[in-house]
Amino acid sequence: MFQKIKPKKISDEVYEQIKSIILSGKLKPGEKLPPERELALELGVSRTALREAIQRLDAQGFIYQVHGGGTFVKTITNGILDSAIEEFVKRDEAIFDLMEIRKILETWGAYTAAQRATEEEISNMEKFLNEMFIAKERGEIGHLSDANFHLAISHATHNVMLIHLMKNLFYWIEKVSYEVRSRMYTNPESHADLYQQHTDVYIAILERNPEKAYNKMLTHMEYIVCELNRIFKKNKKI
Amino acid sequence: MFQKIKPKKISDEVYEQIKSIILSGKLKPGEKLPPERELALELGVSRTALREAIQRLDAQGFIYQVHGGGTFVKTITNGILDSAIEEFVKRDEAIFDLMEIRKILETWGAYTAAQRATEEEISNMEKFLNEMFIAKERGEIGHLSDANFHLAISHATHNVMLIHLMKNLFYWIEKVSYEVRSRMYTNPESHADLYQQHTDVYIAILERNPEKAYNKMLTHMEYIVCELNRIFKKNKKI
DNA sequence: CTCTGCTTATTGGTATTACCAAATTATATA
DNA sequence: TATATAATTTGGTAATACCAATAAGCAGAG
């Protein structure tokens, strides 16, 4: 009934106004904003509050500033700059933290999928497995099918939290798959190894063998971590 | 041959330093940064330059500020969990899916904490364990200490992603603890059982026994799920 | 007329000081 | 022990000053 009142900072209001003007097209990419001192007067605020708004606009990729030159609207084709989670996952170290999380979630996921998967869900896994095979034969990377295969397994757990988690992590799962797969692009044997590992997981789920599914997924995850260690030339405790 | 020289603003350097500290896990979600005047002195910059850095960190989702209260590290994994959390809000039963995920994350967490915990982290766990004891003696519910104890274990894994995820889930962990504990409020024996389970986990970590820590946490989690089943009078596949 | 170098003006970046306002903590009182 | 009040802490904004990078204007040489 009652909404919590969140008082707005002056710099927040300035930020919203300038952002709105940019997004509406009134200020176009490359165009210059009025000089800070002038704009502050126009808005009826101090340079401090204006600059704080401008820092936020800068951080999110709307504008850029040239010392002594002026403040300009950025072209938005580059998109908004990375959020905190994107900055976080971008780092090599975070990939290993993510792999630790994935290992525990996805081994359990395989175990539980072997118990709970419907025929349709198993078919869905097979579909992505087939796509990986085709990609292998064609010399394609196949990272999208790989990530989708893992997502299909999480669906088969019927755990809505895991499904949401895996869906939201999908972009980074795909990225990891890409990193690993593009390195073994030229090595058909590794490609075949990877395909075999996914097949082993699939067969264990098909056989309704939870322990086997768990172990096969564990083997796969550890293989990925090894490859990542090789790629990043790092040693991380797992 | 020649690289374009991009001079760094002071506020950019401040931003990079604070960001790095957060991403590395040295500052954990919910933790407070030093007050601005103090931090500016420490960094040897003006409050103006510091605040400009802080606005950028805020804009990207690393930190948040409370007027009169302080500057705090934000949970970075909000985007990963928001849609899953919406499920709990909609359906009470979804809490069982959360418990499944907690079971696997926290058993691994206990295992890994037993391997990696520093003395300070173990002390921190003990602090919350003591608070639970005092709550038990005083006939208080003690759900906040309970949830903090679990969070402290996740801190000891040194997995930054898990730390943020567990902090995101803190409210729900606390809520589960409250539901379970307030039912056994009048039953001193159950209260003692719960305290004992937490103590067992703590001792296993103190003893640096990963397998034992894992098993004690598993026992604890299964106990909680049983209690929740009783409370919800529901039968859910585990 | 064009190019180069120098000077001046403009504009972003930071520092300092002061004060306001919201939250937190400490203290006094019922 | 609980509540109300006062004091302190801490973020938010304003004003002023000055530094530093860029842009624009101008003079002189070729």
Side-chain angles (χ1 to χ4, degrees):
Chain A
M1 185 192 182
F2 291 108
Q3 290 274 20
K4 196 175 185 68
I5 293 172
K6 188 170 182 284
K8 279 250 183 172
K9 288 156 57 176
I10 288 179
S11 59
D12 282 347
E13 297 193 33
V14 170
Y15 161 87
E16 296 289 349
Q17 194 180 139
I18 297 174
K19 190 174 100 173
S20 176
I21 288 168
I22 293 171
L23 289 179
S24 74
K26 288 182 189 128
L27 270 175
K28 294 168 182 58
E31 279 185 2
K32 190 177 167 185
L33 271 69
E36 284 182 8
R37 289 162 180 88
E38 193 178 307
L39 187 50
L41 271 173
E42 228 175 291
L43 292 163
V45 302
S46 73
R47 255 190 92 206
T48 312
L50 172 62
R51 279 188 64 77
E52 295 205 354
I54 285 177
Q55 296 315 309
R56 298 171 70 101
L57 289 161
D58 189 340
Q60 294 187 329
F62 289 106
I63 57 119
Y64 67 98
Q65 293 198 286
V66 178
H67 191 173
T71 305
F72 304 88
V73 180
K74 227 170 191 175
T75 50
I76 301 184
T77 50
N78 294 345
I80 305 299
L81 283 190
D82 289 346
S83 63
I85 182 65
E86 280 156 349
E87 291 259 11
F88 175 77
V89 182
K90 228 158 50 179
R91 291 146 56 250
D92 292 354
E93 296 92 328
I95 297 296
F96 290 97
D97 278 5
L98 171 60
M99 286 309 298
E100 281 192 336
I101 304 295
R102 280 190 66 195
K103 193 171 86 173
I104 52 193
L105 289 175
E106 293 198 58
T107 49
W108 178 83
Y111 184 99
T112 308
Q115 289 176 317
R116 302 176 183 172
T118 66
E119 296 301 320
E120 186 187 352
E121 283 159 350
I122 291 176
S123 278
N124 201 37
M125 290 172 213
E126 187 178 14
K127 190 185 82 179
F128 293 119
L129 193 64
N130 287 341
E131 282 183 17
M132 278 189 272
F133 180 80
I134 292 165
K136 181 170 66 76
E137 294 300 297
R138 285 178 175 174
E140 288 163 2
I141 301 181
H143 55 292
L144 189 59
S145 306
D146 185 335
N148 270 313
F149 178 78
H150 286 265
L151 187 59
I153 293 172
S154 72
H155 277 251
T157 65
H158 303 166
N159 183 302
V160 297
M161 182 163 176
L162 183 66
I163 294 166
H164 279 284
L165 256 175
M166 290 294 291
K167 196 181 66 181
N168 292 333
L169 289 172
F170 187 84
Y171 171 79
W172 290 297
I173 292 168
E174 197 191 327
K175 183 179 145 72
V176 163
S177 176
Y178 182 86
E179 293 285 350
V180 169
R181 282 173 166 272
S182 56
R183 287 308 172 92
M184 57 183 63
Y185 209 154
T186 54
N187 184 347
E189 194 177 303
S190 297
H191 233 308
D193 280 349
L194 209 57
Y195 176 71
Q196 187 59 54
Q197 286 166 21
H198 287 116
T199 303
D200 289 344
V201 173
Y202 169 73
I203 289 174
I205 293 173
L206 184 62
E207 288 175 351
R208 309 280 183 188
N209 190 330
E211 283 83 10
K212 186 177 173 185
Y214 180 99
N215 285 319
K216 294 298 182 184
M217 182 59 87
L218 182 61
T219 299
H220 175 57
M221 286 284 132
E222 285 174 344
Y223 179 89
I224 301 300
V225 168
C226 270
E227 289 303 306
L228 287 170
N229 271 314
R230 277 221 251 141
I231 291 167
F232 292 116
K233 293 196 180 47
K234 280 182 168 48
N235 221 351
K236 175 93 161 65
K237 294 180 250 164
I238 300 296
Chain B
M1 183 192 183
F2 291 108
Q3 289 274 22
K4 194 173 187 65
I5 293 173
K6 188 170 181 288
K8 278 246 183 177
K9 287 154 60 175
I10 288 181
S11 60
D12 282 346
E13 298 192 32
V14 170
Y15 160 86
E16 295 289 350
Q17 195 181 136
I18 298 174
K19 188 176 85 174
S20 174
I21 289 170
I22 293 172
L23 288 176
S24 72
K26 284 182 193 122
L27 270 175
K28 296 173 178 60
E31 280 182 1
K32 192 177 166 187
L33 272 70
E36 284 180 7
R37 290 164 181 83
E38 195 179 304
L39 187 51
L41 271 173
E42 230 176 287
L43 293 162
V45 303
S46 72
R47 254 190 95 203
T48 313
L50 171 63
R51 280 189 63 78
E52 296 205 354
I54 284 176
Q55 296 314 310
R56 298 169 68 103
L57 290 163
D58 188 340
Q60 281 186 289
F62 283 105
I63 57 118
Y64 67 97
Q65 292 198 286
V66 178
H67 189 172
T71 305
F72 304 87
V73 180
K74 218 174 193 174
T75 47
I76 292 175
T77 48
N78 300 39
I80 294 173
L81 284 172
D82 282 350
S83 59
I85 286 168
E86 276 169 25
E87 294 286 345
F88 314 146
V89 174
K90 281 190 284 183
R91 285 166 52 240
D92 286 346
E93 298 91 339
I95 211 76
F96 287 99
D97 287 0
L98 168 63
M99 288 310 298
E100 282 193 332
I101 301 302
R102 278 191 66 192
K103 195 170 86 173
I104 54 192
L105 288 176
E106 294 198 55
T107 49
W108 178 84
Y111 184 98
T112 308
Q115 289 175 318
R116 300 177 185 173
T118 64
E119 297 301 322
E120 187 188 352
E121 283 159 350
I122 290 175
S123 279
N124 200 37
M125 292 173 208
E126 186 179 16
K127 189 184 82 182
F128 294 121
L129 192 65
N130 286 342
E131 282 183 16
M132 279 190 271
F133 180 80
I134 291 165
K136 178 171 67 75
E137 293 300 296
R138 284 178 175 176
E140 289 163 2
I141 302 181
H143 55 292
L144 190 60
S145 305
D146 185 335
N148 271 313
F149 178 78
H150 287 263
L151 190 62
I153 293 173
S154 73
H155 280 213
T157 65
H158 303 166
N159 184 304
V160 182
M161 185 164 231
L162 181 67
I163 293 167
H164 281 264
L165 286 171
M166 287 294 290
K167 179 68 178 176
N168 269 125
L169 295 171
F170 188 82
Y171 170 80
W172 298 98
I173 292 167
E174 198 191 327
K175 187 174 153 69
V176 162
S177 175
Y178 182 86
E179 295 288 348
V180 167
R181 283 173 167 271
S182 56
R183 287 308 171 94
M184 60 182 60
Y185 207 153
T186 55
N187 184 350
E189 195 178 301
S190 296
H191 230 310
D193 280 351
L194 209 58
Y195 176 72
Q196 188 59 53
Q197 286 166 21
H198 287 115
T199 303
D200 289 345
V201 173
Y202 168 74
I203 288 173
I205 293 172
L206 185 64
E207 287 175 352
R208 309 276 181 192
N209 190 330
E211 283 82 12
K212 186 177 172 184
Y214 180 99
N215 285 320
K216 294 299 181 183
M217 181 60 86
L218 181 61
T219 299
H220 174 58
M221 286 284 131
E222 284 172 345
Y223 179 91
I224 299 301
V225 169
C226 271
E227 288 303 309
L228 282 176
N229 270 313
R230 277 221 250 142
I231 290 168
F232 281 84
K233 292 196 181 46
K234 278 174 171 49
N235 224 350
K236 175 90 163 66
K237 292 181 252 165
I238 299 293

